Amino acid sequence: MGESVSIMTWGLPAVSIVILLLVWWFLNSRLNRLRLNDQLELEKLEAERLKQLDLVKSDFFSNVTHEFRTPLTLILGHLEQVIPKIEDERAKKELIVVKRNAKLLEKLINQLLDIAKIEADRMDLDLRKGNIVPFLNEIQRSFASLSERKGVGLRFDIDDEDITMDFDPDKIELIFYNLLSNAFKFTDKGEVSLRVGKTEKDGRSYCKLVVQDTGIGIVEEQITKVFDRFYQSENSRWRKNKGTGIGLALVKDLVDLHEGTIDLKSISGVGTEIIILLPIEQRVQNNDAQMEIPALDAVDPDMEASIAFEHAPQTLTEEEINAQNIALVIEDNDDIRNFLRLTLEPTYRVFDAVDGETGIEKAMEIIPDVIICDVMMPGKDGFDVTKFLKKQEKTSHVPIILLTAKAGVENRIAGLETGADAYVPKPFSSEELHARIKNLIDGRKKLKEKYSRSLLVKPDVAAEPSMEEKFLTRVKNAVEQHLDDENFSVEELSREVGMSRAQLHRKLIALTGKSASRFVRNYRLEHAYQLLQNKVGTVSEIAYRVGYSSPAYFTKCFTEDFGISPSQVKKDS
Ligand code: ATP
Ligand code: MG
């Protein structure tokens, strides 16, 4: 009885608890399912929204890019009209540089537009039926003048004369224009060849196209990456007329569009081979076997190679060592280097260097009054150059302006941290650059005032001496040691300081405004002034002690410099 009561008393609540649990579980799982559904719905909406956004973005991108084309077309159009009319050779060359760079911009914009189109699945093939062989012949022929100018051979091998198939002529042109451009760009000797023929694979007929060169090749690890957008392999990144790394990505997309395949084989230092297979289909009905072959403009060699301008020789004459306005330009891009020379030459004697390494050598040799240096360069970049030169005794005082395409604040800070004196983002106006240079050179005047006030003043012992102070102390010590030696020459002084005569001269001029011989003379006479004040001997004795064998000549020089005669100084003290 007691047991049944206990079942009754315990059983009911237990059952209700189980029921409650079941209800809770049921509601909870429903709720979860609803939540899940909601979430899925949300995700779908989000995906939709992102897709829309992507479309808007790519629309915006292609619209904006498109807008670039109108002004560019006008620039190029006018240039083409005007260049043949220009008689001044130099002006003509300058305009050709403008044209080449406008063309580069045009190419880049077109490539970006194509990529945007492919990305948005909006690139359609405009297939025509025709013989692809004469068409390819026309494309390769447009490279003939470039081949001649570069001294790199160009061969067209035809294994089958007639390969009639469907293809989109514009896209095929784009593909082979890119491949042949690459081949010529990365080849300095040997030849570039294009071979066309038919082949069978898995029971299907293909048109086989091979572009081969004997150029720099690509290192193995990087071969798979060259089809990536914006990828440029290590050994090519610093080539002249470097591109943007879009070409091959675009080529691959265009080959895919033709349902073809592309394969790249390359050996670093030997050459590169690109094999394209395009299916031979003849579905297009227009039966346009006599497909019109467009006459393509020759690839203009002027557009590929930089123009040489005439510049002043890269050695200093005796008078120029004394001239103070020497600027050194360190820049690897030919066009920018030439441009800097052209803008600076009227005001400065300009030297140049094509990379950091030679830039450093030149700077140490000529000790310029200002250095204008690009940041991004192969090997030693602008930061390396600045750090190095600021630590060298010969060049520590030379102001350095860094030029950079990256205008971000971090870059600016990084540049100034290396000790650069100014940072000028590209594109810059030549007026701005001139103003900056003038500013810096004028700023050196303060330095001169400081160091030339009195040669006998010892640097502040409390502060760590600057590179300049250390240098001047070394020069002064050398003079001090030969104070009574009348024959102590500037040659000997420079030898003792470990510089060439010209280097010592230029460094002293920059720091004190005095030539080396002037510096020595001033030092001797200032020393004499002190001795006279301290009355440590007769005027003649003091003259001998500071290296003058003729007291009369000493008196003359002394009076010239101080406006007071030695005996007067002695008397007044
Ligand atoms: P762009 O074509 O956009 O002007 P790019 O030529 O540098 O610039 P891609 O054509 O995409 O770019 O080529 C990518 C990279 O592949 C090149 O930068 C180069 O490193 C390497 N490459 C391409 N073709 C060759 C070749 N024939 N020989 C050696 N390297 C090559
Ligand atoms: Mg390319």
Side-chain angles (χ1 to χ4, degrees), residues 480-499:
E480 180 82 46
Q481 274 173 12
H482 298 272
L483 201 60
D484 57 355
D485 177 0
E486 179 193 9
N487 298 319
F488 184 58
S489 64
V490 173
E491 267 79 16
E492 274 178 272
L493 175 62
S494 29
R495 220 172 301 129
E496 292 211 358
V497 179
M499 288 185 183

Side-chain angles (χ1 to χ4, degrees), residues 161-173:
E161 290 279 353
D162 181 7
I163 308 180
T164 299
M165 59 186 276
D166 298 344
F167 64 96
D168 180 334
D170 287 347
K171 314 276 185 311
I172 293 291
E173 185 191 332

Side-chain angles (χ1 to χ4, degrees), residues 1 175 220 252 297 322 368 378 444 458 541:
M1 184 63 189
I175 293 175
E220 209 179 332
K252 180 159 184 353
D297 288 342
N322 294 311
R444 298 287 125 169
K458 293 271 179 290
E541 276 164 5

Side-chain angles (χ1 to χ4, degrees), residues 107 182 185 213 218 226 231-233 236 244-248 272:
K107 188 185 120 195
N182 279 353
K185 181 158 60 170
D213 66 55
I218 305 167
V226 295
Y231 182 80
Q232 301 189 296
S233 81
S236 69
T244 31
I246 304 184
L248 280 182
T272 304

